[in-house]
Amino acid sequence: LVVDASQGVEAQTLANVYLATANNLAIVPVINKIDLASADPEGVKRQIEEVIGIDASGAISASAKDGRGIPEILEAVVATVPPPQGNVDNPLKVLLLDSWYDSYRGVVLLVRVVDGTLRPKQKIRLMAAGRDYEIVSLGVFAPFPKDITDLGPGEVGFLTAAIKDVADARVGDTITDAGKP
């Protein structure tokens, strides 16, 4: 939960925290822009506690501009946010997060594996389109595209499968093994 040190808790902050708590998500309070002259980190901590109702005593002070607090944020996320659940032995279940057209590779799918494992040459089905494809390439952004041999539960990556039409790759679609129920 990132709160601006000079503006404090705003309507957008409340909307995001209500959405997070409704979905039982872990919340890591961060007070950003502490490098500004108008910053009031202590006042913002009080606002977080009084307006939102969560403990801000451990809120991380940060400045994305000069890098202060970034290692602490990463450590807090690792310590607080539970790892994704999933099983490599379960039938393939993949969430399509995004897609775009690349003039060299066709449609590229950004995916998150929920269960099972994705591998190159594997036959998959895009459930909403009802079409089957074979994975041509599989990779991750680290931060630049890097080919990999498999993608397992909880991992996010991209795949290409000679898909010609972006309309076949609808955001939110489920990808499964082709030919399996």
Side-chain angles (χ1 to χ4, degrees), residues 48-138:
I48 291 172
E49 290 180 349
E50 294 169 5
V51 177
I52 297 174
I54 61 173
D55 181 23
S57 61
I60 300 166
S61 296
S63 169
K65 186 185 222 178
D66 65 20
R68 278 187 280 173
I70 304 304
E72 292 85 356
I73 293 170
L74 294 173
E75 288 297 324
V77 168
V78 169
T80 309
V81 178
Q85 302 297 310
N87 188 332
V88 295
D89 298 323
N90 286 349
L92 184 65
K93 187 178 358 174
V94 178
L95 175 64
L96 199 159
L97 301 172
D98 198 4
S99 64
W100 60 91
Y101 187 80
D102 180 287
S103 56
Y104 296 105
R105 297 161 32 138
V107 177
V108 179
L109 307 180
L110 182 64
V111 298
R112 177 185 179 272
V113 178
V114 177
D115 282 313
T117 304
L118 284 175
R119 292 183 180 85
K121 300 188 187 224
Q122 180 177 3
K123 293 188 184 337
I124 58 169
R125 172 169 292 158
L126 299 178
M127 296 300 288
R131 299 203 181 176
D132 296 348
Y133 297 95
E134 183 176 300
I135 297 175
V136 174
S137 67
L138 189 63

Side-chain angles (χ1 to χ4, degrees), residues 9-10 19 23 34-35 49 51 58 72 74 84 100-101 110 118 123 129 132 134 140 143 149 153 157 160 170-171 176:
V9 175
E10 298 180 293
L19 189 60
N23 287 289
I34 60 168
D35 57 312
E49 290 180 349
V51 177
E72 292 85 356
L74 294 173
W100 60 91
Y101 187 80
L110 182 64
L118 284 175
K123 293 188 184 337
D132 296 348
E134 183 176 300
V140 293
T149 58
T160 62
R170 299 179 191 141
V171 173
T176 62

